[in-house]
Amino acid sequence: MDLLIQHLPALQVVLPMLAAPIVMLMARSPRMAWATTTLVTWLTLGVSILLAQQIFVHGTISYHMGGWAPPVGIEYFVDSANIFVLLIISLMGAISMPFARRSVEQEVANEKHGLFYAAFLLANCGLLGIAITGDAFNIFVFFEISALASYALIAMGRDRRAVMSSYQYLVMGTIGTTFLLIGIGFLYIMTGTLNLADLAQRLPEVNDTRTVRAAFAFIAVGISLKLALFPLHLWLPNAYTYAPSMVTVFLSATATKVAIYVLLRFIFSVFGFELSFTELNMEYVLMPLALLGILIPSIVAIFQTNIKRMLAYSSVAQIGYMILGVSFASALGLMASVVHLFNHAVTKAALFMALACVIYRVGGVSLDRMAGIGKQMPWTMAAFVVAGLSLIGVPLTVGFVTKWHLLLAALEGGLWPVALFLLGTSLLATIYIWKVVEAAYLKEPDADRAVVREAPPSLLVPTWALTLLCIYFGIQTSLPLDMAGRAAETLLGGYL
Amino acid sequence: MEWLGHYNYWVVVVLMMVGFYIVIAQGNLVKKIVGLNIFQTSVFIFFISLAKLDGGTAPVYIEGVTEYSNPLPHVLILTAIVVGVALTAMGLALVVRVHELYGSIEEDEIHEQDGKH
């Protein structure tokens, strides 16, 4: 047992990585591939929870890969900041797997199931690896692992446009990670190290050089491409729209969140608050982009008739909220951003799951097709409405918790126009969620459409589990807020 | 003529811009992948050239030699090349699928078939 506890950080990543080829061999029996994957995702969640327990008792864990001490060896470390991200990823993986069986059975060809679940595990492994590793080059490699797996997952969508959007994601994603690689190269020239903690210690001496600033620019732009910061978000709407439903659920909840975590790690911990905000004034770049990134995609979302696409644009807007919190350059703003990583993951996953239920029964999610669906699929649409309220930021839901803290952070910084802007843009979210509610509850269904039944329980239960989480953490706010507070403190404190 | 001394970095910058330009300007999906490859290769060359020490040899123990090139960037780039190969394979596989589904690999023709910009 001691040995197990000791190697938890490695297990976190290795478990899904080793399971992937085994699942791939199960191509003949989709059921078994699914069962194994589910088991592995639950085990990964177990490892995350054990890790969280460990760091709350003993503090930060530093794990030396293969026994080589950092900065020479590769270090995995777990502190209050990345345990939060690890928990989000493994929780979302664990909740979306029970959901996956029926949904994937319908949307992906039978002989591809083994490959599908193998790719899912690799994506999971890559995302966990990005969050847990303490080595800059490792971040690049894990980014590529998760990205390659996600390209494959997205391309398995039924619509032929899925393949094309996967290709576009590949081109933009590769440019993003290559930029990251250039930035890491610059940092390596100046410091001779790749370990994040070591970099943070050595960088202040060479902060004034053009090379470090170029590195900063390359890394910030590269990661911004991966996290779909407006206006670098062009790959996201298509990729989310045409991917199989289950992939949309998982990626929307995790992929961009991890990229945001990496950005936070670099600008707060590695480059440090001093360089990022005092000297380079990152807030002047981030704040306008965040504000535009909230406003424009929200307006675009209103005009979409495909609901999946509408929610994809809304995801871009929500990323704007997270970046806005960072751009306040205050502890409170950062905490609001970090807590929104979790809140948005839960909310958006619940919304996409509700849509997946509709797709399962109706076959599509255009506004016309959803007309009158509220009476035929009451549970599904009720979940959609509750999660939608959370997206808008109505009190008693998790969305409100974020908005409230963002408002406080804006007022604390004396930025009352931003506070007004936040209230105003919530109205935009109300409009696009209302459009769906109106179609589902107030319109009559087409006469020629067969009456649809409620989605099966195996789809409804995970959907409602997430929806209830939206409400539970909206009322019982202490746990996520406490964890986000610690994470923000860790990030601001840098590497001590 | 100080800038001539940094000719390796100039090569990197030129290759990088050429690759990036091809990715943006070409409508042919295969050519885009080629551009992406050139773009990535420039970064590989950049890493390798920063590891080179004037007068240094390969990092192997030889009697009487004291200066070695830094082996670490070479190892990193080996990994990055593998990643690059995987990406190229993935990209080309997607192009094959696109060709099967649309009968074309020209971006404008594909968008025309899907009936949007």
Side-chain angles (χ1 to χ4, degrees), chain A residues 81-90 128 131 257-258 261 341:
Chain A
N82 60 1
I83 189 64
F84 194 64
V85 183
L86 289 175
L87 280 170
I88 295 175
I89 303 164
S90 45
L128 290 165
K257 312 287 176 299
V258 175
Y261 158 75
L341 293 182

Side-chain angles (χ1 to χ4, degrees), chain A residues 413-483:
Chain A
L415 295 159
W416 58 268
V418 177
L420 285 179
F421 176 87
L422 277 171
L423 295 173
T425 47
S426 295
L427 284 177
L428 293 173
T430 319
I431 297 173
Y432 56 74
I433 292 294
W434 171 252
K435 274 180 61 182
V436 183
V437 173
E438 187 192 20
Y441 288 97
L442 304 179
K443 283 194 186 137
E444 287 303 313
D446 290 342
D448 56 338
R449 195 187 70 198
V451 176
V452 290
R453 282 179 301 134
E454 182 55 86
S458 64
L459 296 184
L460 267 185
V461 171
T463 312
W464 269 95
L466 281 174
T467 313
L468 290 177
L469 276 186
C470 282
I471 300 174
Y472 178 77
F473 286 121
I475 299 167
Q476 200 64 256
T477 56
S478 57
L479 181 67
L481 276 181
D482 183 42
M483 288 192 76

Side-chain angles (χ1 to χ4, degrees), chain A residues 107-108 152-160 162-163 242-244, chain B residues 97:
Chain A
E107 291 183 32
V108 178
L153 288 172
I154 291 166
M156 283 192 218
R158 277 181 307 179
D159 196 308
R160 66 176 179 178
V163 180
Y242 301 117
Chain B
R97 290 285 296 144

Side-chain angles (χ1 to χ4, degrees), chain A residues 72-84:
Chain A
V72 175
I74 289 167
E75 181 190 18
Y76 277 15
F77 67 80
V78 190
D79 60 15
S80 327
N82 60 1
I83 189 64
F84 194 64

Side-chain angles (χ1 to χ4, degrees), chain B residues 3 7-8 10-11 13 21-22 29 35 37 40 43 56 63-65 69 72 85 91-92 97-98 109-110:
Chain B
W3 55 271
Y7 72 95
N8 49 341
W10 286 108
V11 170
V13 169
Y21 178 77
I22 296 174
L29 299 189
N37 265 311
Q40 283 189 313
V43 182
E63 200 83 32
V65 177
S69 290
L72 185 64
V85 169
L92 291 175
R97 290 285 296 144
V98 167
E109 287 173 26
I110 291 165

Side-chain angles (χ1 to χ4, degrees), chain A residues 55-128:
Chain A
I55 71 157
F56 285 134
V57 180
H58 303 297
T60 308
I61 301 172
S62 161
Y63 179 82
H64 304 164
M65 256 305 164
W68 294 88
V72 175
I74 289 167
E75 181 190 18
Y76 277 15
F77 67 80
V78 190
D79 60 15
S80 327
N82 60 1
I83 189 64
F84 194 64
V85 183
L86 289 175
L87 280 170
I88 295 175
I89 303 164
S90 45
L91 181 73
M92 288 304 151
I95 295 186
S96 57
M97 272 320 289
F99 182 89
R101 188 171 61 88
R102 298 293 283 267
S103 180
V104 171
E105 246 168 33
Q106 195 204 26
E107 291 183 32
V108 178
N110 229 3
E111 69 275 9
K112 283 190 199 153
H113 282 193
L115 297 173
F116 179 90
Y117 290 120
F120 173 81
L121 281 172
L122 283 177
N124 209 341
C125 149
L127 294 171
L128 290 165

Side-chain angles (χ1 to χ4, degrees), chain A residues 200-450:
Chain A
Q201 258 173 17
R202 295 188 193 198
L203 272 177
E205 292 168 29
V206 286
N207 255 350
D208 281 332
T209 55
R210 221 181 292 167
T211 319
V212 170
R213 292 175 185 209
F216 188 95
F218 271 117
I219 290 175
V221 174
I223 300 174
S224 297
L225 257 165
K226 294 299 285 184
L227 67 82
L229 175 64
F230 180 86
L232 304 172
H233 66 284
L234 293 170
W235 57 268
L236 187 142
N238 279 334
Y240 282 15
T241 311
Y242 301 117
S245 309
M246 186 265 177
V247 176
T248 313
V249 170
F250 181 68
L251 288 185
S252 70
T254 55
T256 50
K257 312 287 176 299
V258 175
I260 289 175
Y261 158 75
V262 176
L263 184 70
L264 295 181
R265 196 46 113 181
F266 269 104
I267 63 179
F268 286 104
S269 298
V270 177
F271 290 105
F273 189 87
E274 186 77 6
L275 177 69
S276 308
F277 291 101
T278 317
E279 285 180 40
L280 293 180
N281 289 322
M282 266 302 266
E283 65 268 33
Y284 294 143
V285 181
L286 290 179
M287 195 175 287
L289 288 182
L291 294 177
L292 285 174
I294 296 169
L295 188 65
I296 296 171
S298 294
I299 294 172
V300 175
I302 293 173
F303 294 102
Q304 299 301 319
T305 49
N306 182 331
I307 316 289
K308 230 175 152 185
R309 202 178 176 79
M310 182 191 95
L311 288 184
Y313 274 106
S314 134
S315 272
V316 181
Q318 298 290 320
I319 289 161
Y321 285 115
M322 293 172 211
I323 298 298
L324 184 66
V326 179
S327 71
F328 291 140
S330 65
L332 194 60
L334 182 58
M335 189 183 95
S337 288
V338 175
V339 81
H340 199 44
L341 293 182
F342 173 73
N343 293 347
H344 179 245
V346 175
T347 309
K348 205 32 91 49
L351 283 168
F352 274 124
M353 273 191 185
L355 285 188
C357 294
V358 176
I359 291 176
Y360 187 78
R361 286 299 187 208
V362 183
V365 281
S366 60
L367 271 178
D368 323 331
R369 276 179 128 165
M370 284 184 74
I373 207 94
K375 293 185 193 87
Q376 293 167 346
M377 300 177 76
W379 285 98
T380 305
M381 284 318 291
F384 186 92
V385 172
V386 173
L389 290 176
S390 173
L391 191 67
I392 296 165
V394 174
L396 299 185
T397 59
V398 285
F400 175 71
V401 180
T402 316
K403 291 264 166 80
W404 177 248
H405 285 90
L406 276 177
L407 269 178
L408 287 181
L411 292 174
E412 184 197 58
L415 295 159
W416 58 268
V418 177
L420 285 179
F421 176 87
L422 277 171
L423 295 173
T425 47
S426 295
L427 284 177
L428 293 173
T430 319
I431 297 173
Y432 56 74
I433 292 294
W434 171 252
K435 274 180 61 182
V436 183
V437 173
E438 187 192 20
Y441 288 97
L442 304 179
K443 283 194 186 137
E444 287 303 313
D446 290 342
D448 56 338
R449 195 187 70 198

